[in-house]
Every structure is written in C-alpha cells, then in structure tokens.
Amino acid sequence: MATFLYKLGRLAFRRRHFVALIWVALLTLAGVGAASAPPAGNSSFSIPGTEAQKAFDLLEQRFPGASADGATARVVFKAPSGEKMTDAGNRATVEKTVDELADGSEVASVADPYTGNAVSKDGTIAYASVKYDVSGMELEESTKDALEDAAQQARDSGLTVEVGGDALQAVPETGATEVIGIAVAAVVLVITFGSLVAAGLPLLTALIGVGIGVSSITALASALELGSTTSILAMMIGLAVGIDYALFIVSRYRAELAEGREREEAAGRAVGTAGSAVVFAGLTVVIALVGLAVVNIPMLTKMGIAAAGTVAIAVLIALTMIPALLGYAGRRVKPAGAKGKRLGRSRKGEPKPDRPAGQPKANLGTRWASFVVRRPLAVLLLGVIGLGAAAVPAASLELGLPDDGSQPTSTTQRRAYDLLSEGFGPGFNGPLMVVVDAKGSDAPKDAFDDVAGEIKGLDGVVAVTPPAPNKGGDTATITVVPDSKPSSVQTEDLVHAIRDAGGDIEAKTGAETLVTGSTAMNIDVSEKLNDALVPYLVLVVGLAFLLLIVVFRSILVPLKAALGFLLSVMAALGAVVAVFQWGWLSGLMGVEETGPVMSMMPIFMVGVVFGLAMDYEVFLVTRMREAYVHGEKPNQAVVTGFKHGARVVTAAAVIMMAVFAGFIGSSESMVKMIGFGLAIAVFFDAFVVRMAIVPAVLALLGKRAWWLPKWLDRALPNVDVEGEGLRTAAERGAGPDEDRELVRT
C-alpha cells in the first residue's frame, strides 16, 4: 500500500494542475446539482419489522385517501382569566378561526372543538385539529403563513393561542457556533504549523470535501428522501476527519523536508506513510458508519451511508489534493523545526532536523511518555477509574425520541404542548392508535367492541374513543389516551399491556390488534435500537479488530484498542445522560428541556466514535511499532512514538472537538446532542485512553504487546502501513530519479 500511495503522492505533486482541476470540477458539478435539484420532500420515517409500522401500513391500505402521513396541527385556545371557552364571544372567535383554516388549499379537514368534544372539563382550554393532505416538509409556505395568521387573529381577540404538531416544522439550523468551531480549528493549525499557508491547506481541502459531499446529498435529497439532519451530520463528520487527515499528511511532509528530501520526494513519502494510516483510519470510520445498516432503520442507514461517503471523499482529497496544493505552495511550507527559528522560539537559533512532523516541542510528548512508562500501573488505574466514574450516569440511561415536549419553552409548539397537558392531562399529547384488523373475524363489530372494552379495563388509561370502522367494515381505529406523558415508562408499559391483551382477543375472535401512533413508534424504535446494539458492536468491532491485527501484527494491541474504546464511549454516554437527562450544565449547553436521550444516540455514537478512536490508535501506535521493529526496546518505542506523534494527535483531537462542539448551537435537539456526545467522546478517547491508558498498557505488556502466532503472521497480508517498503528502497540507495522511474512504471 505504501509504495502505491507513494507513487500517487508524487504523481499528484507533479500533475497538480490536473488534480486541482478535477476536484474543482467535481465541486462545481455537485454545486450545480444541488442548486437545480427539487426541494427535499418528506423524509419518511419507517421501522420495518415492528408492530407500529405494520399497523401504519395497514391503515394506508384499508383507509385509502386518509393521508396517514399528512401534516397535523393542533390550534390550542385558552380563555382569559375568569372566562371560559364556552362564552359566546370566545366561541365566536374560535369558530371564525376554524372557518379560516378550513379554506386552505392543502387542508384535508378541521375539527371544530365544540362538536368534537375538544373542550377541557373546566372550560378554559379548547383545541382545533387540522389535518393536511401533504407532509409537514411539503407544505407550501402560504399554508404555514395562513395557519400562523389565523392563530394571530385569535390572539388579537384576547385569547391565548398556540400551535402544536408538525405543520410548522422548520429546517434545523446549526447556529454561529459552527463557524466558531472552524475558527478554533484554524487557530490550532496555525499554532501547530507556524504558517498560515500550511495551516490553510487542511482547512481548504476539508471545506472542498464537505462542499462536494453536502452538495451531493442536497442534490439527491428529493430522490432518496434524505432529511435535513443527514446533511448536517455529514458536514459535522466530514469537516472533522477532513481536517485531521490533511493535518497528518502535511505534518509528515514537513518532517520529510526536515530530513533534507526534495519537495516532490517529501510529498510522495508523506502520502506513502501518513497516507497509509489515513486510508486505514478512514476505512474504519466507513465500516462503522455503513454498519449502521444492520439496525434496519432506513433513516439511520441513509445517515450512515451519506456520512461514510463524505469520509471517503475526505480520504481521497487528502491523498491527492494535499500533495497537489503542496506543489503550489512550494517553499511557503517550511520544514518541521523551521517554525521555531522564524518565531524566535528556538533555543539555539537553528531548527532541529531530527524533530518530526508538526513537533517543534516534541520534548513535551517525550517527557509525558517517559513519566507514563515509569508509572504505568498508577496511570492505568487513574485513567480507568476516572472514565468509570464518568460512565456512572449511563446506568440511568433512558431512551426516547423527541416530541413537542422537548422543544424550547420559547416555541409555540412547546407552549401548545403545555396547554394541552394542563387542560386534558399529560397523556393527551401522546395518544395511542389501536388498529383492529377483523378481516378474519366472523363478527367484526363485536370484535371492535371487545377490544375497546378490554382496553378500558387496563391501568393507566384515561379515555378510549368508540371504534371508527372503515367503509368495508373489516378494520377500525380506536384512540387511547394514557394518563402519563408520551416519553414515560408508564406509557411504554401501557403499550405492551394493550399488545398482550390483543393476543387473547385474537385467540377468541380472530381479530388482530395492533398499536401504532407516534408514541408507539418511538417505543418500537428504542427497543429495535437496543436489540441491534450488541450485533452492531460485534460486527463493527469484530471487523475493525481484524483490520488492526493486520496493521499492527499483534493480538493484544487490537484487544487493548477495542477495550479502550468501550471505556471512552461509556464515559461519553454518561456525560450525555448527565447533561441532557439529568440537567447538569444544561444552561451552559443551551439545553432548555431535559428528558430521555435520543433513541439512536448510543448506537450512532458507538459507530462514529469507534471509527474516530481508531484514527488516533493508528497514527500513534504505528509510530511505536515502527520504532520497535527497528530495534528499540518496548518502553523506548513507546516514548519514540509519542515524540513523533503526540503533538500532531493532540492538535487533531482539539480540532475534532472544536468542530463537533460547534454543532451544539444547533436548533435541532438531535444534532445538539450528537455534537456534544462526539466532542466529549473525542476528549476522553484522545487524552485519557490513547494518551494515558494506551502507553501504560504497552509499558506493562512489554514485548508481549507485539506477540503474534507464527502461523497467523504467515497468513496475514503485509499492508505496510509504516512505509517499510519505502525505507527499504532508501536503504538500497534509490534516489529521486530512480523513484521517478518507479512512478512511471
């Protein structure tokens, strides 16, 4: 691999005009495609194999034209203090509002509160249900404006009016903190390289890669039903890995220059060595993201594949465009060590040629590694205990999907949610829809009544509506209102109780009972994700474990890497629970409402963090293996690895944390939570696991860390991540001219 990438790097350096033209053309093509593509429609959320999805599909089949996936809105009215909604003036205002809403071109139906029993018992709160023909993302702006205008006119009459439901669903925004994250990355790069030109290369290539990736997603969003969250997550991960991968190659290029090599040769060797690690690290991220398909939730699969595509683009750009841009930069990119002289920080006034890429102050890494190998047990225990303490809140993890109750209190959706809870009880915001399929029953109507009567007798039920059969009379829907809020454990227990009771009814009557609705769908998603977590871990960690064996030619080093990852991801989940579920530091993070952690958060974090954790493992430990293979003692090899890699890995981790943390300012709770979770996970993994636990374990294991059975050593392919083939060519005395001949052949 190293020899091929070496040739690729030199070719890109020489043919830089051609390489740059290709990437600019791809960016332009993707941009034109995004600009001319139709707007994204409804990003359907389906969970194949679950009862809620089966019931939803049955509704579309048996109730044609009912617009089961159409947008809904609940316009909630509250009377002024001392008045009731049944007063003549207030009633006239509500009826006028209902008439105005019914005139909309995309409105399927509007339910009058006074004829639909939608007034609270104390008479102070009422609501009108609006059903639309199309989904919330497909609603015309004029329709949304009409809804807001009708609500405002009712407010002007003296009523308190709020609008809930998905009709006013907005595209999530990331906020200004995303730009701050990129700015922090730029500062770190300037400090690392001491040059605006060298620092600008990783930023430029990362932005081009993300531009191509996100524009492609936008262009395909309508055809593939990709949600807005998909492009945001692709941007988040693409920026982070794009900057990091370019950083490693530029750092190695500067190290090669410091050893006296010509610039074209240095570019080739940088891509052949650091580029090999980039390819492997990118491959682990792609495996982790594509592996999300095992969960069998289409939305999650699309998110993973889109993000994986952006990572693949970042790898290709790092391998080709970085050496091309280095050719354009010429002497403006200085050798490693030259920064200290230019900034006046070199003690002797001269650069030190033995300093590795991006390591003007490598002595700090050397001192830390020397301390760790002297006190490995103490460092190991401290790191494990610290991460274990951070992981404690994860034991209280509660999973769910967001509803209007998780919105900020400043939104009309949240205020409508609170008014409905006040007037009709907390369960009113998450009603359950029971679908009774009596096609196989001899007495469908009796079966409908039996189901309704059975549900009324269950604990935790506030109200059960009469069965509403379809035209064929073989299927009916029953609405059940729980006495607990949608995201509570009590509501989940009620869903399971209804399903258990349905089994007995089917045995007696032949009618099948299914529970669906947004609340039941959320419960099924959480259970499906929980069931998929272990198989997903086995698949992703197992494949990456095999790859690590090939790279490090060791059994214990990959095992240590996998166990360290589990520590860091559990600690990160603990931090997420503490902030988003318990409310610790919630004000600092902009979390206005605590509640269950996003259902897909654990499995998504496992996938992404595992891929990113392997980045640092590869970049740091390959340097240690390289030193060990060349004759250094195990402990000295650990110190050498830190001397060459600690500063660059630290810079990469800080950049990745800054990029992820930038998305905490998003208005989308899922993006906010993932941004925080990934940022804290990178901190734990890079600075506790890779910088402390890894060297401590390697020091304790000594030579045993690099043990591999001879039969396995013979069977494994030699991928040459360390660039040993290039070193061998150098030892044979191959010069730049001979190497050019290799490139041509």
Side-chain angles (χ1 to χ4, degrees):
M1 180 188 292
T3 303
F4 169 76
L5 293 177
Y6 164 78
K7 295 178 181 180
L8 179 64
R10 294 192 64 172
L11 185 64
F13 187 94
R14 282 203 319 276
R15 307 297 185 197
R16 47 188 172 272
H17 302 308
F18 180 69
V19 172
L21 181 62
I22 288 178
W23 285 112
V24 171
L26 288 174
L27 179 61
T28 303
L29 184 64
V32 171
S36 59
N42 181 32
S43 54
S44 58
F45 183 79
S46 62
I47 43 175
T50 62
E51 181 173 314
Q53 186 64 45
K54 181 180 178 181
F56 186 82
D57 295 339
L58 183 65
L59 283 174
E60 290 199 326
Q61 178 185 347
R62 303 284 177 84
F63 291 82
S67 301
D69 60 345
T72 58
R74 275 179 170 176
V75 183
V76 188
F77 308 88
K78 183 176 182 179
S81 178
E83 299 182 17
K84 294 184 180 295
M85 290 305 305
T86 51
D87 294 347
N90 294 334
R91 180 165 183 159
T93 300
V94 172
E95 290 176 342
K96 180 182 177 182
T97 303
V98 169
D99 292 339
E100 291 177 355
L101 291 172
D103 290 337
S105 59
E106 295 179 309
V107 175
S109 62
V110 181
D112 188 314
Y114 301 103
T115 59
N117 193 28
V119 180
S120 63
K121 290 183 179 180
D122 61 4
T124 60
I125 297 174
Y127 70 91
S129 295
V130 186
K131 183 72 175 178
Y132 294 90
D133 293 321
V134 297
S135 67
M137 296 299 292
E138 295 173 313
L139 282 177
E140 298 286 345
E141 286 300 321
S142 58
T143 301
K144 296 181 180 181
D145 292 341
L147 176 61
E148 293 176 332
D149 291 343
Q152 186 57 49
Q153 290 178 16
R155 291 189 191 103
D156 295 339
S157 300
L159 298 177
T160 298
V161 185
E162 305 296 345
V163 183
D166 60 353
L168 296 181
Q169 181 178 356
V171 176
E173 300 175 354
T174 53
T177 50
E178 175 192 346
V179 179
I180 296 174
I182 297 176
V184 171
V187 172
V188 173
L189 288 169
V190 171
I191 293 174
T192 302
F193 292 135
S195 164
L196 290 175
V197 175
L201 296 183
L203 280 176
L204 176 61
T205 55
L207 290 174
I208 291 175
V210 167
I212 294 173
V214 173
S215 296
S216 300
I217 292 171
T218 304
L220 298 172
S222 178
L224 301 181
E225 296 185 345
L226 303 177
S228 55
T229 305
T230 302
S231 59
I232 292 178
L233 295 177
M235 180 191 303
M236 179 193 304
I237 297 171
L239 271 177
V241 301
I243 294 174
D244 276 11
Y245 294 164
L247 165 66
F248 288 118
I249 292 179
V250 173
S251 298
R252 189 59 181 251
Y253 171 77
R254 296 177 70 236
E256 298 294 336
L257 290 179
E259 293 181 8
R261 292 189 173 89
E262 294 295 327
R263 293 187 178 273
E264 182 180 328
E265 174 70 8
R269 289 181 177 272
V271 176
T273 52
S276 297
V278 165
V279 169
F280 175 78
L283 184 59
T284 59
V285 179
V286 169
I287 288 174
L289 291 171
V290 174
L292 291 170
V294 303
V295 183
N296 196 26
I297 294 180
M299 186 187 77
L300 192 59
T301 301
K302 293 173 185 178
M303 288 167 54
I305 293 176
T310 308
V311 172
I313 293 172
V315 171
L316 293 174
I317 282 187
L319 297 178
T320 57
M321 196 167 185
I322 281 292
L325 293 179
L326 289 172
Y328 283 118
R331 296 185 179 278
R332 287 186 290 273
V333 177
K334 305 295 182 183
K339 182 184 75 168
K341 177 181 178 181
R342 185 164 58 82
L343 297 181
R345 291 203 293 263
S346 179
R347 294 178 181 177
K348 296 182 180 180
E350 295 294 335
K352 297 182 179 181
D354 61 336
R355 284 178 177 171
Q359 299 281 333
K361 295 184 179 180
N363 284 338
L364 181 60
T366 302
R367 289 197 299 270
W368 168 250
S370 299
F371 169 77
V372 173
V373 298
R374 287 197 307 269
R375 303 283 190 275
L377 188 59
V379 172
L380 176 62
L381 290 176
L382 185 61
V384 171
I385 292 173
L387 290 179
V392 168
S396 303
L397 177 66
E398 295 178 8
L399 298 178
L401 287 177
D403 54 21
D404 286 346
S406 62
Q407 296 273 1
T409 53
S410 58
T411 63
T412 186
Q413 292 93 333
R414 171 59 190 277
R415 291 195 292 264
Y417 179 97
D418 292 340
L419 284 177
L420 288 172
S421 296
E422 176 187 341
F424 301 92
F428 196 79
N429 282 292
L432 307 174
M433 179 177 288
V434 178
V435 182
V436 185
D437 180 7
K439 200 166 188 177
S441 175
D442 296 331
K445 188 176 185 307
D446 292 340
F448 300 154
D449 294 336
D450 287 346
V451 172
E454 189 75 25
I455 294 174
K456 286 180 181 178
L458 296 176
D459 294 334
V461 175
V462 171
V464 178
T465 64
N470 63 346
K471 291 182 179 179
D474 58 0
T475 308
T477 59
I478 301 171
T479 301
V480 180
V481 179
D483 65 0
S484 52
K485 64 180 183 179
S487 59
S488 67
V489 177
Q490 292 83 356
T491 301
E492 182 177 349
D493 292 339
L494 177 60
V495 169
H496 290 303
I498 295 174
R499 288 173 174 171
D500 292 341
D504 297 334
I505 294 174
E506 183 176 7
K508 291 187 298 183
T509 66
E512 184 180 10
T513 301
L514 304 170
V515 184
T516 188
S518 60
T519 301
M521 189 83 79
N522 291 351
I523 292 170
D524 286 350
V525 168
S526 298
E527 293 179 351
K528 190 176 181 69
L529 288 167
N530 282 336
D531 293 342
L533 184 57
V534 172
Y536 177 70
L537 271 174
V538 171
L539 172 68
V540 174
V541 177
L543 287 176
F545 181 77
L546 294 176
L547 286 174
L548 286 173
I549 291 177
V550 173
V551 171
F552 296 128
R553 310 194 79 79
S554 164
I555 297 293
L556 295 179
V557 170
L559 180 61
K560 171 265 307 170
L563 293 177
F565 152 74
L566 292 176
L567 274 175
S568 59
V569 79
M570 289 303 299
L573 277 176
V576 169
V577 170
V579 173
F580 291 89
Q581 188 175 311
W582 291 0
W584 294 5
L585 302 178
S586 57
L588 182 63
M589 298 297 165
V591 180
E592 294 191 25
E593 183 68 23
T594 59
V597 173
M598 199 80 54
S599 295
M600 61 186 66
M601 185 68 188
I603 200 164
F604 191 84
M605 181 180 286
V606 165
V608 177
V609 173
F610 184 80
L612 300 180
M614 294 306 103
D615 286 2
Y616 304 122
E617 182 76 14
V618 171
F619 289 120
L620 198 57
V621 180
T622 48
R623 286 283 195 169
M624 299 178 189
R625 173 172 169 75
E626 185 178 349
Y628 176 76
V629 168
H630 284 82
E632 292 189 9
K633 294 182 178 180
N635 283 6
Q636 183 57 40
V638 171
V639 176
T640 301
F642 267 77
K643 176 184 177 183
H644 287 274
R647 181 179 174 87
V648 178
V649 169
T650 299
V654 172
I655 289 170
M656 197 169 282
M657 288 168 55
V659 172
F660 287 148
F663 288 84
I664 295 176
S666 172
S667 61
E668 175 67 43
S669 59
M670 178 178 177
V671 175
K672 180 191 292 287
M673 190 178 295
I674 290 179
F676 171 80
L678 294 183
I680 198 69
V682 168
F683 171 78
F684 287 144
D685 195 87
F687 294 107
V688 181
V689 175
R690 309 302 154 190
M691 291 291 187
I693 293 179
V694 166
V697 171
L698 291 177
L700 289 171
L701 291 175
K703 292 183 178 180
R704 289 168 295 181
W706 307 107
W707 171 79
L708 185 70
K710 291 183 179 180
W711 64 268
L712 185 56
D713 187 39
R714 290 191 298 268
L716 292 177
N718 184 13
V719 296
D720 191 18
V721 174
E722 299 93 344
E724 188 63 26
L726 301 180
R727 205 174 305 277
T728 303
E731 291 171 355
R732 292 198 310 265
D737 293 335
E738 185 176 341
D739 287 337
R740 286 194 181 92
E741 187 61 31
L742 286 173
V743 175
R744 293 191 185 97
T745 58

